[in-house]
């Protein structure tokens, strides 16, 4: 009822605590105030929200969805022009992405953060490596094995990530299937279908797929929204470059799916398998996760028991001679011994010199980044690489989102 939300701030608070929160904040913080991509559900919801705004608010200039960023802009909601301004304020957050409307089709699949990027005209920031999962007690999405204790009771849902991302102007992300669910992709699939313009998916490759079923297996994953596979070598009983691994790897490339490799215990343990896969299918794009894990063990660079393996680092640089190899500049906390990641700058320059920025992409390794300096610290490091002159504007745009859009968009 109208009396239920007597003040605009009450309405904003209700929205902030609802399922619309990530989308509302994404639109608000991106300062998008325009119509576009309107669908019937958005119109109906918008009209319902307008009904909750008392006329006093419209005539007094009080703005719904106000924040420290929005408050600096000057809008008046008085008269006919004021009414139109108010309508834009309500419509803007609701239609900025197709996620709320659940619209399917080519428009939503144009690329990561396509609506935001078009509206703002700024370079996209894509997080190329995150994990999300449902709440611990969610019976619809039971865990195969529990997440790490510090994150077992936290909020690691897709919506929680979107809220974090909106505050740092991150426009989209690649969800890597978490080991918590093993090969049960139900939760991540539900997220890809719910937010098709914001997320892409990297499935966890199952090494036990029957040889005659690989095509159908990959086709099903593509239908569900997965555009890449993750090879976890520790799930193979032997070499991940065995017959099964090579078949999955080659057919993934034929279907336009990239393959990421997680060398958690160090690149030297898997370099021969990686080269074997590359040579078997040169057209398949292969992605090395987390700077190749050149610091071991991968418990975090601030752990005094970790050491840099320079031989592993050189092996990573040597992979640059294969034009289909990419590197994720992800999980900075796993390879850096500096809280601000300054020690990674010389290595970043080496990677840019060897691979070129168009084969590098930034990623956070959310939610594990929350336990190691916070999500904001990872995003800020990316921007500081540009502001400090370590990266040119062109290099920054590629690493920031251009490379990820090319591979996954």
């Amino acid at each position: 009822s109208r009396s239920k939300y007597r003040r605009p701030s009450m309405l904003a608070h209700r929205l902030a605590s609802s399922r619309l929160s990530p989308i509302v904040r994404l639109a608000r913080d991106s300062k998008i105030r325009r119509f576009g991509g309107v669908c019937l559900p958005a119109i109906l919801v918008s009209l319902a929200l307008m009904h909750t705004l008392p006329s006093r608010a419209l005539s007094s200039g009080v703005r719904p969805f106000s924040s420290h960023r929005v408050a600096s802009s000057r809008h008046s909601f008085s008269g006919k022009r004021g009414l139109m301004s108010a309508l834009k304020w309500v419509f803007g957050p609701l239609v900025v992405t197709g996620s709320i409307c659940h619209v399917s089709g080519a428009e939503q699949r144009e690329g990561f953060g396509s609506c935001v990027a078009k509206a703002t005209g700024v370079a996209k920031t894509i997080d190329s490596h995150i994990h999300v999962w449902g709440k611990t007690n969610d019976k619809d999405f039971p865990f195969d094995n529990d997440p790490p204790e510090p994150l077992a009771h936290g909020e690691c849902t897709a919506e929680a990530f979107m809220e974090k991302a909106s505050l740092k102007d991150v426009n989209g992300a690649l969800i890597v299937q978490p080991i918590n669910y093993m090969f049960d992709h139900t939760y991540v699939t539900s997220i890809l279908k719910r937010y098709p313009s914001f997320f892409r998916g990297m499935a966890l490759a199952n090494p036990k797929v029957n040889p005659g079923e690989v095509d159908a297996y990959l086709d099903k994953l593509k239908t569900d929204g997965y555009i890449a596979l993750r090879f976890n070598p520790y799930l193979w009983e032997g070499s991940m470059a065995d017959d099964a691994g090579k078949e999955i790897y080659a057919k993934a490339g034929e279907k336009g799916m990239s393959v990421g490799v997680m060398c958690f215990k160090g690149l030297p343990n898997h370099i021969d398998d990686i080269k074997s896969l590359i040579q078997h299918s040169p057209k398949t794009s292969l992605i090395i996760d987390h700077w190749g894990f050149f610091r071991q063990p991968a418990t975090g660079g601030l752990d005094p028991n970790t050491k840099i393996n320079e031989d592993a680092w050189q092996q990573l640089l040597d992979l640059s001679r294969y034009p289909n190899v990419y590197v994720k500049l992800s999980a900075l906390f796993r390879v850096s011994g500096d809280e601000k990641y300054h020690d990674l700058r010389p290595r970043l320059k080496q990677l840019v010199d060897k691979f070129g920025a168009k084969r590098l992409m930034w990623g956070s390794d959310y939610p594990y980044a929350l336990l190691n300096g916070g999500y904001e610290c990872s995003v800020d490091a990316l921007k500081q690489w540009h502001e400090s002159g370590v990266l040119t504007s062109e290099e920054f745009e590629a690493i920031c989102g251009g490379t990820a859009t090319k591979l996954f968009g």
Side-chain angles (χ1 to χ4, degrees):
S1 68
R2 185 165 177 162
S3 61
K4 187 175 182 179
Y5 300 114
R6 182 58 60 184
R7 290 178 297 158
S9 59
M10 295 174 64
L11 171 62
H13 176 75
R14 183 61 181 263
L15 281 171
S17 61
S18 72
R19 291 182 62 191
L20 302 183
S21 174
I23 307 302
V24 169
R25 294 184 183 181
L26 176 64
R28 179 198 67 190
D29 290 341
S30 299
K31 300 182 181 179
I32 297 172
R33 308 285 177 257
R34 56 191 271 175
F35 293 99
V38 180
C39 65
L40 184 58
I43 295 174
L44 295 176
V45 173
S46 300
L47 291 176
L49 289 175
M50 280 302 299
H51 181 68
T52 67
L53 290 174
S55 57
R56 182 174 54 190
L58 297 179
S59 61
S60 64
V62 178
R63 296 182 293 276
F65 317 122
S66 61
S67 71
H68 66 283
R69 295 191 183 193
V70 174
S72 62
S73 59
R74 301 185 179 277
H75 293 278
S76 173
F77 289 167
S78 59
K80 293 182 179 179
R81 290 185 179 179
L83 178 60
M84 290 304 297
S85 297
L87 285 169
K88 288 183 180 181
W89 275 87
V90 175
F91 271 94
L94 290 174
V95 302
V96 63
T97 74
S99 304
I100 282 185
C101 304
H102 297 283
V103 178
S104 61
E107 183 174 346
Q108 282 214 326
R109 299 297 297 180
E110 284 184 359
F112 281 132
S114 56
C115 296
V116 175
K118 285 182 178 180
T120 61
V122 298
K124 290 184 290 186
T125 300
I126 304 298
D127 193 333
S128 72
H129 198 105
I130 72 164
H131 307 281
V132 292
W133 51 79
K135 297 180 180 179
T136 305
N137 60 352
D138 193 336
K139 296 181 180 179
D140 292 332
F141 307 108
F143 294 138
D144 182 85
N145 52 82
D146 291 334
E149 180 58 31
L151 298 173
H153 310 291
E155 187 75 15
C156 300
T157 64
E159 288 78 13
F161 169 78
M162 293 175 76
E163 190 166 340
K164 289 278 188 184
S166 71
L167 297 175
K168 298 304 294 184
D169 298 321
V170 174
N171 310 123
L174 179 75
I175 301 176
V176 180
Q177 169 73 358
I179 199 67
N180 318 4
Y181 293 127
M182 195 58 76
F183 303 118
D184 181 357
H185 290 72
T186 308
Y187 175 75
V188 174
T189 299
S190 72
I191 297 303
L192 297 178
K193 293 184 182 297
R194 189 182 308 169
Y195 306 111
S197 64
F198 193 88
F199 290 118
R200 296 289 183 270
M202 174 178 274
L204 182 60
N206 186 347
K208 296 184 178 180
V209 174
N210 293 327
E213 299 176 356
V214 172
D215 275 311
Y217 165 69
L218 295 177
D219 288 341
K220 175 63 166 59
L221 289 174
K222 287 199 69 175
T223 299
D224 288 342
Y226 296 90
I227 43 68
L229 286 176
R230 184 181 220 194
F231 272 34
N232 182 337
Y234 313 106
L235 299 179
W236 262 262
E237 293 180 356
S239 166
M240 67 176 172
D242 60 10
D243 291 342
K246 286 181 177 178
E247 183 179 9
I248 296 173
Y249 183 83
K251 288 188 178 294
E254 293 171 5
K255 298 177 184 294
M257 302 177 75
S258 305
V259 174
V261 181
M262 184 191 71
C263 304
F264 190 80
K265 296 181 180 180
L267 188 59
N269 296 324
H270 311 290
I271 190 65
D272 291 338
D273 284 353
I274 288 172
K275 290 180 178 179
S276 181
L277 290 171
I278 293 172
Q279 292 163 4
H280 177 69
S281 179
K283 293 184 179 179
T284 303
S285 296
L286 184 142
I287 306 166
I288 301 294
D289 288 349
H290 304 345
W291 305 70
F293 289 96
F294 66 84
R295 183 188 285 269
Q296 287 292 312
T299 52
L302 297 181
D303 182 345
N305 296 317
T306 64
K307 294 182 179 180
I308 293 175
N309 185 334
E310 293 295 350
D311 290 337
W313 178 252
Q314 190 57 51
Q315 288 177 343
L316 178 63
L317 296 179
D318 290 344
L319 287 176
S320 64
R321 72 175 186 265
Y322 300 105
N324 57 324
V325 174
Y326 296 74
V327 178
K328 282 186 180 179
L329 307 176
S330 47
L332 277 62
F333 62 89
R334 294 195 187 276
V335 293
S336 174
D338 181 348
E339 290 183 353
K340 298 297 184 181
Y341 311 129
H342 294 314
D343 59 340
L344 292 179
R345 294 183 179 187
R347 296 186 187 275
L348 172 62
K349 289 296 292 180
Q350 284 184 283
L351 287 173
V352 172
D353 291 341
K354 285 286 188 178
F355 285 86
K358 293 183 179 180
R359 287 199 282 155
L360 305 173
M361 66 195 91
W362 166 81
S364 69
D365 198 21
Y366 177 96
Y368 301 100
L370 298 177
L371 306 177
N372 298 272
Y375 185 72
E376 299 80 2
C377 191
S378 180
V379 183
D380 291 342
L382 169 68
K383 296 178 179 178
Q384 287 167 8
W385 290 340
H386 178 221
E387 294 169 357
S388 64
V390 177
L391 297 174
T392 66
S393 294
E394 184 178 355
E395 291 166 346
F396 171 73
E397 289 182 8
I399 292 172
C400 188
T403 303
T405 300
K406 171 187 171 184
L407 278 182
F408 312 130

